[in-house]
Amino acid sequence: MIGARVPCLLALLMFFFARPATGGAGESSFKYQQVARQLLAAGMKDGESFSLLRELTSTVGSRLSGSPGAAKAVELVRRMLMKRGFDNVHLEPVMVPHWVRGPVESAVALPSRKGKPISLAICALGGSIATPNAGITAEVVEVKSFDDLHRMGERARGKIVFFNRPMDPTKLNTFEAYSGAVDQRSAGAVEAALAGGVAALVRSMTLALDNVPHTGVMGYRDSVARVPAAAVSTMGAETLARLLREDRHLKVHITLSCRTLPDVQSANVMGEIRGSASPEEIIVVGGHLDSWDKGVGAHDDGSGCVQAIEVLNLIRKLNLRPKRTIRAVLFMNEENGNRGGRGYVTAPGRSAEKQYAAIESDRGGFDPRGFSVQADSTVFTRTLAWQDCFDLLEAGKIARGFSGVDIFPTVEKGVPGFGLDVDSQRYFDYHHSNNDTLDKVNPRELEMGAIVEALLCYLISEEGL
Ligand SMILES: [Zn+2]
């Protein structure tokens, strides 16, 4: 009967159109779609990303370069890679900066007329000098930009310069919002000093309105006086702005006890699955092992590290035997120097190898959307041809863009770079703060990132770029 025949015909048509085209790209695409499904099943059934991240964050915690935590992390991930029997597990030494926060960091707003002192939640920015022991007490000028500050002329002299331009909430991609505000953190101390200011106080780099300050790297310039620099929580920034509207002569008392110690030897950690046909061609998949000293670096970048290890786990579980070598690299010192990323390029072992591609996950362990490609148009076009495989994982957004800080020195030498792209909406709620803890990481989303990276590694290995 007709009613039964129509669905049958539909099924037949669906079957016909679902079949892979025979020969050429269609056939290989079908093969890789199968691999994508197998990676998904293996990762979701018994993937290890989250348990590795739990181990890293609970047994080590924060891992700022040069700290005991960083040394412990190097040893822990070396053991993780050894235990799993990967090839060529080793450390490559790098010298890293050693900045310590110290026990004291506080800021108090002091009204010029009557009124109680009001505490502001602050933390020193990474690399800042300390205040004198007694702290710094000064009036405050609020600016939204360096241009504002330049226009202020002598009015900033002797004051604490308060940089209070928020990240732009209208940007869909929060990394864009971050880029539009982070100059205040990185160069605020130099600009404050050039204007005759005595300290820099910077609104935290987050879109969240809360009372948690977010640290991050700042810099000095040799020819410019050094002044202390701290981040104030977004709620603290709102409070301070309100107080300044009511009281132009309000003062803030800041105390910081941070300092920079001599450089320390640390290391990049790596392990790999040796290529079966072209072992000298290396596909790097990495993240950075160091974190800030706030929180435990669960998203930034514990996630990228465990995903790199999980890529090797998944590829081996499926017995894929890649043609090229796939190497997990846990870089040291991305946050305040990138010595690991630069050291990787110049390490003695590199001259015998060809770095074939480099992949980095450093945007948090969130749901992957695809990846950004930092390479020439030939490579970009080639990766676009794999989109159907990534679409199966709902990660088919392939766009040109920056790859990653750690792999950038490699990419700069002409090696194609890939950055795992993820849902960015929550990243800066946690980034560089006490909020960056394991409970903010969703195990399935984290694992999905590893699955997408594993597929990319395998496609590059087998198909070439
Ligand atoms: Zn990072």
Side-chain angles (χ1 to χ4, degrees), residues 287-288 290-292 299-302 334-335 360-364 405-406 427 431-432:
H288 64 86
D290 63 309
S291 75
W292 279 106
H299 276 292
D300 187 14
D301 185 28
E334 187 269 353
E335 295 292 4
E360 177 155 2
S361 164
D362 186 20
R363 301 175 200 176
V405 170
D406 296 282
Y427 186 54
H431 187 246
H432 298 179

